[in-house]
Amino acid sequence: MPVFDLSHTPLRELNSALHTLGAGSNDTLFEVVNPRGHHAVAVGIDAPVTIEVKGSVGYYCAGMNDGGTITIQGSAGPGVAENMMSGTVVIEGDASQYAGATGRGGLLVIKGNAASRCGISMKGIDIVVHGSIGHMSAFMGQSGHLVVCGDAGEALGDSIYEAKLFVRGSVKSLGADCIEKKMRPEHLEKLAELLAKAGVTHAKPEEFKRYGSARKLYNFNIDNADAY
């Protein structure tokens, strides 16, 4: 198993090694020690490899992940798993702002809390937060699922399109065009699947409320013509 110690190995060497993996490579498990809050750790992965990061990271860790399984045994700075395409990213601690931003696929699991703008402009990613999230989360969420086992801050789902939001705790306020919606059997089934994948054992699907688009904001309404 290749081990990269970032206390004396340049970060560029780690990312270069991960980007040059050929088809059928025997190197499928990597360990990163002493990350020391480095930015852009394990970005642009496009192979089914497993990466264990033994500590906390800075900005944009695991960005653009496409098929990798990346575990951060600590907390993550802003933009973790930004624009993820597929694969799995797990944060054992907390995540800073805009975790999972613009994500198009895959699963992001945050076992602590997430700060503001979690899942902003999400486009198919599934995000499960064991704790709570900050304000403006899922802003302009287009598709995918955001599951919050704790509470949500102000303006949840502001200007949301068709992303589905599930919150177990309280919601400080809903953003423009975001409303509470009925939880149907298919939503409970999907929620149970996501909770199981994310290793959530302290919450049950029936304890959550569902939120989504009222589908009014992005449709022209002649009665409001003077406001456009």
Side-chain angles (χ1 to χ4, degrees), residues 190-212:
K190 182 63 179 181
L191 182 52
E193 174 192 327
L194 291 171
L195 292 172
K197 283 184 177 180
V200 174
T201 59
H202 63 286
K204 299 178 181 179
E206 57 269 23
E207 297 172 344
F208 289 76
K209 293 181 178 180
R210 180 169 77 98
Y211 303 89

Side-chain angles (χ1 to χ4, degrees), residues 100-112:
T102 72
R104 296 176 179 273
L107 174 66
L108 170 61
V109 180
I110 300 168
K111 293 191 176 180

Side-chain angles (χ1 to χ4, degrees), residues 127-191:
I127 303 173
V128 180
V129 182
H130 287 223
S132 299
I133 59 173
H135 66 271
M136 292 293 290
S137 291
F139 170 67
M140 293 188 70
Q142 296 179 33
S143 63
H145 302 83
L146 172 60
V147 179
V148 183
C149 298
D151 302 325
E154 295 176 341
L156 175 69
D158 189 80
S159 304
I160 192 172
Y161 286 82
E162 294 303 316
K164 296 179 176 63
L165 316 179
F166 301 95
V167 181
R168 180 171 175 249
S170 64
V171 176
K172 192 163 186 180
S173 66
L174 296 175
D177 210 42
C178 186
I179 59 172
E180 183 179 345
K181 308 187 88 169
K182 183 179 180 180
M183 185 81 84
R184 298 196 295 269
E186 63 266 29
H187 302 127
L188 289 170
E189 182 179 354
K190 182 63 179 181
L191 182 52

